[in-house]
Amino acid sequence: MTEKWLHNDIADNVCWVEQAICDACAKAGRSREEVTLVGVTKTVEPERVNAALAAGLTHIGENYVQELLRKKPELQLDGVKLDLIGHLQTNKVKQIVGQVNTIQSVDSLRLATAISKASVAAGITSHVLVELNIGEEQSKTGLPKAEVAELLAQMAELPHIHVDGLMCIPPILDTETARRKVFSEMYQMFLDMRAKKLDNIDMNTLSMGMSSDFTEAILEGSTMVRVGTALFGHRPRKSM
Ligand SMILES: *Cc1c(COP(=O)(O)O)cnc(C)c1O
């Protein structure tokens, strides 16, 4: 009984987030098609993920390789894209290559090389985003701004790996002005890298904006928002 109520709740949330994205696009003078909603499903049981998919969500992201692989067979993924958005360790690369649409968290040449090698071995091309540590925070993964151009140039030489864009998790900032400034800086970086027209690199995805700030991210040029809490509620402290 509570289950049924939960499902309805998730459908309401999908509706609400969808409407908020439409509003943000309208405010930004952008078309709704320019922004992809990725539902972040870490710690969310497959049944509740499926409820969100039934409610119209078409793209989801998981943080942990083990959790993703465990849940994947239970998900109704027909016509749905599944990305890895969390930090990826080099020793897990072989397990994840071929299992997702996009790996959003490439932040070193070592990792990119491992993905390239595993993709060659599997006979596929892996699509990835390069993750930036835009706030240059010590505690966070992601590449410092100053190293992005060099990594992209190196990745352009790697076989069977294709960069689709950039991703970031910005620092927590108090004011809308400060948050928008960081998103705008990210957008500028995205345009600068796109202008380079490197091999194997199409800058068409800028993945930024989460539950608390996706409107601001869309106003500053985000093409992909990753929303967890606003769809599934607050997460338990520990991962599954
Ligand atoms: C958890 C997570 C999100 C979603 O965060 P919410 O605040 O719950 O919307 C987005 N991106 C990444 C990389 C995450 O780990």
Side-chain angles (χ1 to χ4, degrees):
M1 292 245 264
T2 47
E3 248 165 49
K4 197 155 183 244
W5 182 84
L6 262 179
H7 288 197
N8 288 338
D9 195 29
I10 287 176
D12 284 351
N13 292 343
V14 172
C15 235
W16 182 87
V17 170
E18 182 54 43
Q19 189 56 53
I21 291 172
C22 283
D23 292 348
C25 288
K27 199 172 164 193
R30 304 176 62 195
S31 118
R32 170 67 187 88
E33 284 73 54
E34 290 177 44
V35 179
T36 302
L37 168 62
V38 177
V40 174
T41 52
K42 58 176 177 251
T43 78
V44 180
E45 315 86 78
E47 202 186 16
R48 300 179 70 231
V49 178
N50 284 333
L53 298 176
L57 195 65
T58 55
H59 201 140
I60 56 175
E62 282 281 349
N63 281 65
Y64 310 102
V65 172
Q66 245 55 53
E67 182 181 340
L68 182 151
L69 295 176
R70 180 160 44 76
K71 281 154 72 174
K72 195 180 173 194
E74 293 180 57
L75 299 176
Q76 265 121 45
L77 292 175
D78 267 357
V80 171
K81 288 183 175 164
L82 169 61
D83 289 359
L84 181 76
I85 63 169
H87 180 64
L88 176 59
Q89 289 168 307
T90 312
N91 64 8
K92 301 254 171 76
V93 164
K94 277 189 195 146
Q95 293 176 63
I96 199 71
V97 160
Q99 294 292 331
V100 291
N101 287 87
T102 302
I103 298 171
Q104 295 203 10
S105 47
V106 172
D107 63 357
S108 70
L109 181 61
R110 184 162 167 261
L111 180 57
T113 305
I115 294 171
S116 168
K117 275 189 185 148
S119 305
V120 170
I124 58 158
T125 293
S126 287
H127 286 259
V128 305
L129 303 183
V130 167
E131 181 184 349
L132 264 77
N133 183 353
I134 192 75
E136 318 261 298
E137 294 166 282
Q138 297 244 310
S139 60
K140 282 212 181 126
T141 56
L143 201 67
K145 270 174 288 186
E147 295 173 26
V148 176
E150 191 189 355
L151 179 64
L152 288 175
Q154 290 165 327
M155 288 179 72
E157 307 292 318
L158 296 175
H160 290 237
I161 187 166
H162 192 100
V163 179
D164 290 337
L166 304 177
M167 185 270 242
C168 77
I169 307 173
I172 296 166
L173 296 165
D174 290 340
T175 66
E176 177 174 347
T177 313
R179 290 190 296 266
R180 285 185 61 168
K181 188 158 168 277
V182 171
F183 286 138
S184 146
E185 197 182 339
M186 222 17 232
Y187 182 64
Q188 193 54 50
M189 174 69 82
F190 176 68
L191 295 182
D192 292 349
M193 295 306 125
R194 181 150 76 185
K196 290 182 186 286
K197 298 196 182 350
L198 294 162
D199 284 346
N200 300 327
I201 294 176
D202 287 307
M203 282 285 150
N204 52 39
T205 302
L206 178 57
S207 176
M208 63 181 189
M210 316 203 296
S211 291
S212 59
D213 57 13
F214 66 82
T215 295
E216 294 155 13
I218 290 169
L219 291 174
E220 298 298 343
S222 168
T223 74
M224 179 175 275
V225 294
R226 307 179 311 268
V227 177
T229 310
L231 291 171
F232 299 104
H234 287 281
R235 294 177 288 272
R237 267 162 174 270
K238 268 182 73 182
S239 97
M240 289 169 72

